[in-house]
Amino acid sequence: MDTGDRLLTPGEVAALFRVDPKTVTRWAAAGRIGSIRTPGGHRRFRESEVRALLEGEGMLDEVDDGIANRPRNAGPAAPSGPGPAGAGNMGMH
Amino acid sequence: MDTGDRLLTPGEVAALFRVDPKTVTRWAAAGRIGSIRTPGGHRRFRESEVRALLEGEGMLDEVDDGIANRPRNAGPAAPSGPGPAGAGNMGMH
DNA sequence: CTACAATGGGGTAATTAGGGAG
DNA sequence: TATGTCCTAATTACCCCATTGT
């Protein structure tokens, strides 16, 4: 089966997710989605990958008794440790 | 077959139902409404599904006359079997 | 080469997610 | 039980303009 040779533009992906084209660019910059760059620097995305993301079928680890890890942070770099971010915060109002 | 690919943001759905966006998030967390997550973690809802819920086509057994003799339990009390899940989705976490 | 739409990059507001308490 | 509100962090949306693509 085709691996999805069809490439989509940021605007197409943005329309599929109902987000801004800039947001799609951020996903690529964060490594959350594969991106192919044109000689000019613009990005192209694989239709198959986008579709998998849309349905969340990227990883089927749905088990009631098993704790599936959150689809958070799929790249090599951790955005920011949710741990010591705000030591002793939380709704203390 | 266009199932209404248009996706709505939590704020839009909340405005349609006249509730807080937080409430819509709870519905999605409870699996009462299908939700698509963006790579960033935000949720998007299908316009068609929201419309069906607004019409009350999700569950039609409210035409009962005995409201007084009906306990506060409507439908399958067991959260394990949401039968009429039209645009079936998967409850993630 | 010029014209127009879209994209990329940076920066700042608005929205959203998640938890806790009423 | 279900819904609305408060707080913090993360994500997203809209502003600018230079460059790319057709």
Side-chain angles (χ1 to χ4, degrees):
Chain A
M1 70 149 80
D2 69 285
T3 48
D5 298 274
R6 189 160 23 180
L7 297 176
L8 299 178
T9 62
E12 291 280 10
V13 180
L16 261 41
F17 279 92
R18 190 54 170 93
V19 295
D20 216 82
K22 289 295 170 38
T23 302
V24 181
T25 297
R26 287 199 202 91
W27 295 344
R32 288 187 164 118
I33 182 174
S35 59
I36 299 176
R37 313 267 299 212
T38 65
H42 285 195
R43 280 174 245 247
R44 291 282 125 84
F45 305 91
R46 294 192 180 278
E47 198 256 354
S48 54
E49 192 170 344
V50 173
R51 247 156 75 183
L53 254 44
L54 267 174
E55 303 224 6
E57 295 185 12
M59 310 141 169
L60 293 174
D61 292 300
E62 167 63 49
V63 226
D64 46 16
D65 97 309
I67 297 298
N69 59 23
R70 295 276 223 67
R72 232 166 166 170
N73 176 335
S80 20
N89 42 11
M90 267 38 170
M92 238 182 281
H93 117 97
Chain B
M1 51 199 346
D2 75 278
T3 49
D5 306 76
R6 290 179 297 177
L7 297 176
L8 300 177
T9 60
E12 288 280 33
V13 180
L16 262 39
F17 282 93
R18 303 282 307 183
V19 296
D20 263 358
K22 192 72 168 193
T23 303
V24 180
T25 296
R26 286 191 184 122
W27 293 344
R32 288 204 257 228
I33 182 173
S35 59
I36 298 179
R37 312 271 298 224
T38 64
H42 283 202
R43 292 190 183 89
R44 293 278 120 97
F45 304 93
R46 292 195 179 275
E47 203 264 0
S48 54
E49 195 170 340
V50 172
R51 246 157 103 203
L53 255 34
L54 279 169
E55 296 286 326
E57 297 195 17
M59 24 186 62
L60 25 108
D61 67 318
E62 224 59 56
V63 293
D64 202 295
D65 64 311
I67 300 177
N69 73 16
R70 180 187 280 262
R72 210 47 271 192
N73 251 345
S80 323
N89 226 343
M90 57 319 243
M92 294 186 182
H93 104 275

